[in-house]
Amino acid sequence: MVKNKQDKNQDTEELILKAANRVFEKKGYAGARMQEIADEAGINKALLHYYFRSKEKLFDRIFREAFSQFWPSIEKVTQGGMAGIRDLIKAVIDGYTEILAQRPYLPAFVVGELNRSPERIKELLLASGIKPDKIIKIVQDAIDNGEVVNMDPRELLVNIIALSIFPFIARPLVSSMFWKSKGEYDSFLQKRKETVYEFICRSILVNPDQ
Amino acid sequence: MVKNKQDKNQDTEELILKAANRVFEKKGYAGARMQEIADEAGINKALLHYYFRSKEKLFDRIFREAFSQFWPSIEKVTQGGMAGIRDLIKAVIDGYTEILAQRPYLPAFVVGELNRSPERIKELLLASGIKPDKIIKIVQDAIDNGEVVNMDPRELLVNIIALSIFPFIARPLVSSMFWKSKGEYDSFLQKRKETVYEFICRSILVNPDQ
DNA sequence: ATTAAATTTGACCAGATGGTTAAATTAAAC
DNA sequence: GTTTAATTTAACCATCTGGTCAAATTTAAT
């Protein structure tokens, strides 16, 4: 079973992207080295530049993908049109828990790079097709019909996201401050899927039960 | 009023530290350039190395200071011995709001650098004199005496910190997603001092009023 | 098998970057 | 004013880093 040229090409590109992702995600744009990416992919630097002409172009490719991965479930729920507020919250928390278990560096990477070049955000948001207004409206509806206490809907959204991803962004710090081992922290993060949901619901639902 | 040599020396050192802080905080260790720090301080690169022998030494100095600034009010409250849980929460939120208004890049800087070299954390925590156990105990006491609903005290602490600093860590992203201008976001952050406190209390206090 | 095109490599280059050094300047002590 | 020590500078240096290129290798088509 020999691979033809195109397949190998695809494989190499895939290999490079995976390697670049690992390196950029961990070290950021400035800390990443093209040589290290090449080594990680098992190729040499010239081939790296053959596939992606420059560090910036390669980074751009990686970062766009990372940025889009950053909004997993929010979109899923808004697609449906009218989702319950409980569903929205659960979807966001579960979505983050799932993706961040696989890519724990993702949020620190995205947020860190955006801090260093905030001018890119507008375009990235546009390109990603995210519609903040739609999500805000779901929350506002839940407030209007008395399901949720009166508050700025954006504040609730910020809180949900904060509670979901902060333990990952600040993972090493939080982990070694309050937990004894990596394993215990991981199990905390798993349980947290439920406890954060309850934490939020206790705070905002007018009729918690029902 | 001419300054003597020692004063000028002090001034130059102060000037360098201020400049280094600005540059490192915004660009991180890898993205920072010694030349840029020198320019920012209005001196040349050789003098920079005369005062702080290497980039790493200078960074270490800056980072330690940043890390210690990261825990403003938590310590103040634990000093007292037995503080109410409400006081603890308010102190943490107010403390962060205050310091982060002046140094908005601080949390992203600290967290980002710690992600890239987590092995430093243990030593930094030791050197900073922070006693996580003391803070956990305050929360645990409040749970034991029925003031706060039953939960892992560490989880509450993570939530408080998350809600306090996330809007700063992810500032550019959150701001341009949900707000129309920088000014509006700033005013949101100010109001948030109260709303986050209420958000947390609604969730955890057994007798919210009283 | 030969040809032609795409893929891969080793060697190399220019500029950036952290760091050094010897000389010049400045300030304090005498 | 001269001496002495600390401070500041311009000019360099070695290494790292992103990027290029011509030659070699591999693959598909004939």
PDB file of all heavy atoms in Angstrom, chain A residues 172-183:
ATOM      1  N   PRO A 172      -1.520  26.118  35.439  1.00  0.00           N
ATOM      2  CA  PRO A 172      -0.376  25.794  36.309  1.00  0.00           C
ATOM      3  C   PRO A 172      -0.409  26.555  37.620  1.00  0.00           C
ATOM      4  O   PRO A 172      -0.099  26.001  38.673  1.00  0.00           O
ATOM      5  CB  PRO A 172       0.835  26.194  35.473  1.00  0.00           C
ATOM      6  CG  PRO A 172       0.348  26.772  34.212  1.00  0.00           C
ATOM      7  CD  PRO A 172      -1.116  26.655  34.129  1.00  0.00           C
ATOM      8  N   LEU A 173      -0.793  27.817  37.551  1.00  0.00           N
ATOM      9  CA  LEU A 173      -0.826  28.630  38.763  1.00  0.00           C
ATOM     10  C   LEU A 173      -1.872  28.113  39.749  1.00  0.00           C
ATOM     11  O   LEU A 173      -1.569  27.796  40.904  1.00  0.00           O
ATOM     12  CB  LEU A 173      -1.130  30.077  38.385  1.00  0.00           C
ATOM     13  CG  LEU A 173      -1.231  31.063  39.542  1.00  0.00           C
ATOM     14  CD1 LEU A 173       0.056  31.086  40.331  1.00  0.00           C
ATOM     15  CD2 LEU A 173      -1.564  32.452  39.026  1.00  0.00           C
ATOM     16  N   VAL A 174      -3.106  28.016  39.283  1.00  0.00           N
ATOM     17  CA  VAL A 174      -4.198  27.570  40.154  1.00  0.00           C
ATOM     18  C   VAL A 174      -3.928  26.162  40.679  1.00  0.00           C
ATOM     19  O   VAL A 174      -4.105  25.889  41.861  1.00  0.00           O
ATOM     20  CB  VAL A 174      -5.539  27.604  39.392  1.00  0.00           C
ATOM     21  CG1 VAL A 174      -6.640  26.977  40.228  1.00  0.00           C
ATOM     22  CG2 VAL A 174      -5.901  29.033  39.023  1.00  0.00           C
ATOM     23  N   SER A 175      -3.476  25.328  39.779  1.00  0.00           N
ATOM     24  CA  SER A 175      -3.244  23.933  40.156  1.00  0.00           C
ATOM     25  C   SER A 175      -2.262  23.824  41.315  1.00  0.00           C
ATOM     26  O   SER A 175      -2.522  23.174  42.327  1.00  0.00           O
ATOM     27  CB  SER A 175      -2.736  23.146  38.953  1.00  0.00           C
ATOM     28  OG  SER A 175      -2.332  21.860  39.349  1.00  0.00           O
ATOM     29  N   SER A 176      -1.122  24.489  41.185  1.00  0.00           N
ATOM     30  CA  SER A 176      -0.116  24.307  42.235  1.00  0.00           C
ATOM     31  C   SER A 176      -0.401  25.157  43.461  1.00  0.00           C
ATOM     32  O   SER A 176       0.219  24.976  44.508  1.00  0.00           O
ATOM     33  CB  SER A 176       1.286  24.587  41.691  1.00  0.00           C
ATOM     34  OG  SER A 176       1.432  25.932  41.373  1.00  0.00           O
ATOM     35  N   MET A 177      -1.349  26.081  43.349  1.00  0.00           N
ATOM     36  CA  MET A 177      -1.734  26.834  44.540  1.00  0.00           C
ATOM     37  C   MET A 177      -2.655  26.033  45.440  1.00  0.00           C
ATOM     38  O   MET A 177      -2.491  25.994  46.643  1.00  0.00           O
ATOM     39  CB  MET A 177      -2.469  28.122  44.138  1.00  0.00           C
ATOM     40  CG  MET A 177      -1.604  29.351  44.122  1.00  0.00           C
ATOM     41  SD  MET A 177      -2.615  30.831  44.254  1.00  0.00           S
ATOM     42  CE  MET A 177      -2.823  30.958  46.024  1.00  0.00           C
ATOM     43  N   PHE A 178      -3.636  25.375  44.817  1.00  0.00           N
ATOM     44  CA  PHE A 178      -4.703  24.781  45.613  1.00  0.00           C
ATOM     45  C   PHE A 178      -4.766  23.265  45.555  1.00  0.00           C
ATOM     46  O   PHE A 178      -5.523  22.651  46.302  1.00  0.00           O
ATOM     47  CB  PHE A 178      -6.056  25.354  45.178  1.00  0.00           C
ATOM     48  CG  PHE A 178      -6.229  26.821  45.445  1.00  0.00           C
ATOM     49  CD1 PHE A 178      -6.719  27.673  44.466  1.00  0.00           C
ATOM     50  CD2 PHE A 178      -5.896  27.355  46.682  1.00  0.00           C
ATOM     51  CE1 PHE A 178      -6.891  29.028  44.709  1.00  0.00           C
ATOM     52  CE2 PHE A 178      -6.065  28.705  46.936  1.00  0.00           C
ATOM     53  CZ  PHE A 178      -6.564  29.547  45.946  1.00  0.00           C
ATOM     54  N   TRP A 179      -4.017  22.617  44.657  1.00  0.00           N
ATOM     55  CA  TRP A 179      -4.132  21.169  44.538  1.00  0.00           C
ATOM     56  C   TRP A 179      -2.788  20.478  44.728  1.00  0.00           C
ATOM     57  O   TRP A 179      -1.733  21.086  44.520  1.00  0.00           O
ATOM     58  CB  TRP A 179      -4.747  20.784  43.194  1.00  0.00           C
ATOM     59  CG  TRP A 179      -6.236  20.826  43.270  1.00  0.00           C
ATOM     60  CD1 TRP A 179      -7.068  19.773  43.534  1.00  0.00           C
ATOM     61  CD2 TRP A 179      -7.089  21.966  43.081  1.00  0.00           C
ATOM     62  NE1 TRP A 179      -8.379  20.209  43.534  1.00  0.00           N
ATOM     63  CE2 TRP A 179      -8.422  21.543  43.274  1.00  0.00           C
ATOM     64  CE3 TRP A 179      -6.873  23.314  42.795  1.00  0.00           C
ATOM     65  CZ2 TRP A 179      -9.513  22.394  43.179  1.00  0.00           C
ATOM     66  CZ3 TRP A 179      -7.958  24.179  42.703  1.00  0.00           C
ATOM     67  CH2 TRP A 179      -9.260  23.712  42.889  1.00  0.00           C
ATOM     68  N   LYS A 180      -2.862  19.208  45.069  1.00  0.00           N
ATOM     69  CA  LYS A 180      -1.652  18.475  45.403  1.00  0.00           C
ATOM     70  C   LYS A 180      -0.972  17.878  44.192  1.00  0.00           C
ATOM     71  O   LYS A 180       0.245  17.711  44.169  1.00  0.00           O
ATOM     72  CB  LYS A 180      -1.978  17.372  46.417  1.00  0.00           C
ATOM     73  CG  LYS A 180      -2.187  17.904  47.832  1.00  0.00           C
ATOM     74  CD  LYS A 180      -2.443  16.760  48.812  1.00  0.00           C
ATOM     75  CE  LYS A 180      -2.940  17.291  50.151  1.00  0.00           C
ATOM     76  NZ  LYS A 180      -4.241  16.751  50.560  1.00  0.00           N
ATOM     77  N   SER A 181      -1.759  17.531  43.184  1.00  0.00           N
ATOM     78  CA  SER A 181      -1.159  16.888  42.008  1.00  0.00           C
ATOM     79  C   SER A 181      -1.945  17.245  40.755  1.00  0.00           C
ATOM     80  O   SER A 181      -3.083  17.716  40.819  1.00  0.00           O
ATOM     81  CB  SER A 181      -1.165  15.376  42.179  1.00  0.00           C
ATOM     82  OG  SER A 181      -2.489  14.884  42.068  1.00  0.00           O
ATOM     83  N   LYS A 182      -1.301  17.002  39.625  1.00  0.00           N
ATOM     84  CA  LYS A 182      -1.932  17.252  38.333  1.00  0.00           C
ATOM     85  C   LYS A 182      -3.219  16.443  38.203  1.00  0.00           C
ATOM     86  O   LYS A 182      -4.237  16.928  37.722  1.00  0.00           O
ATOM     87  CB  LYS A 182      -0.967  16.858  37.203  1.00  0.00           C
ATOM     88  CG  LYS A 182      -0.468  18.023  36.359  1.00  0.00           C
ATOM     89  CD  LYS A 182       0.117  17.521  35.027  1.00  0.00           C
ATOM     90  CE  LYS A 182      -0.907  17.601  33.905  1.00  0.00           C
ATOM     91  NZ  LYS A 182      -0.467  17.145  32.609  1.00  0.00           N
ATOM     92  N   GLY A 183      -3.136  15.191  38.644  1.00  0.00           N
ATOM     93  CA  GLY A 183      -4.289  14.302  38.518  1.00  0.00           C
ATOM     94  C   GLY A 183      -5.495  14.830  39.281  1.00  0.00           C
ATOM     95  O   GLY A 183      -6.612  14.846  38.751  1.00  0.00           O
TER      96      GLY A 183
END
